[in-house]
Amino acid sequence: LERQLLMQNQMRERQTAMQIAWTREFLKYFGAFFGLAAAGLTAGAIKKKNPGVLVPIVPLSFIFAYQYDMGYGTLLQRIKGEAENILDTQSTLLELPKGPLTYESLEKIRRSQSKLFTEK
């Protein structure tokens, strides 16, 4: 059991590391896109003398800030803290519908499904 727990924790850590690495890689491309878009929109706003052209920068900046916080900031620590808070103070939100799975309920489902397959 201890080996299984260690293996599961290693897999979780590796998946989290992959998610962070993916976010950092995505941020490089999105950062380049955001920089080019901001420069182009600013040039367009100056050329057309219309500040309304800059409006797309607002949602793009929120996406950029989120990705930066995920890749290099404290977003994962804040998510972990909130998850711990939910586990400690709001555990009723985590209950499964119809309660936890039991061996008997799984066997009942298995038997009903095997009857469906044998009737065909």
Side-chain angles (χ1 to χ4, degrees):
L1 179 63
E2 187 176 342
R3 284 182 185 167
Q4 186 177 10
L5 291 172
L6 286 171
M7 185 180 71
Q8 286 176 345
N9 190 50
Q10 283 289 313
M11 291 302 295
R12 183 195 57 78
E13 287 178 356
R14 290 175 187 199
Q15 288 173 341
T16 303
M18 285 294 292
Q19 180 183 9
I20 294 168
W22 182 90
T23 300
R24 289 179 179 180
E25 192 63 26
F26 177 80
L27 186 62
K28 292 174 189 174
Y29 289 93
F30 188 78
F33 165 75
F34 178 75
L36 289 172
L41 290 171
T42 302
I46 292 171
K47 187 176 182 181
K48 292 185 177 188
K49 296 182 181 175
N50 180 5
V53 174
L54 294 172
V55 171
I57 289 179
V58 175
L60 290 175
S61 64
F62 278 98
I63 296 168
F64 183 77
Y66 175 83
Q67 291 296 329
Y68 183 84
D69 195 19
M70 180 71 132
Y72 295 101
T74 60
L75 181 63
L76 288 177
Q77 284 100 5
R78 293 193 314 269
I79 290 172
K80 181 183 168 195
E82 184 61 26
E84 289 172 353
N85 179 48
I86 291 168
L87 287 168
D88 292 341
T89 62
Q90 300 173 335
S91 60
T92 56
L93 296 174
L94 305 174
E95 293 174 2
L96 293 171
K98 297 185 178 183
L101 291 173
T102 63
Y103 178 77
E104 290 80 20
S105 63
L106 289 173
E107 280 297 304
K108 184 178 177 183
I109 293 168
R110 187 188 62 78
R111 276 187 250 120
S112 68
Q113 286 180 348
S114 66
K115 286 180 186 176
L116 289 173
F117 290 121
T118 57
E119 289 177 4
K120 291 183 179 180

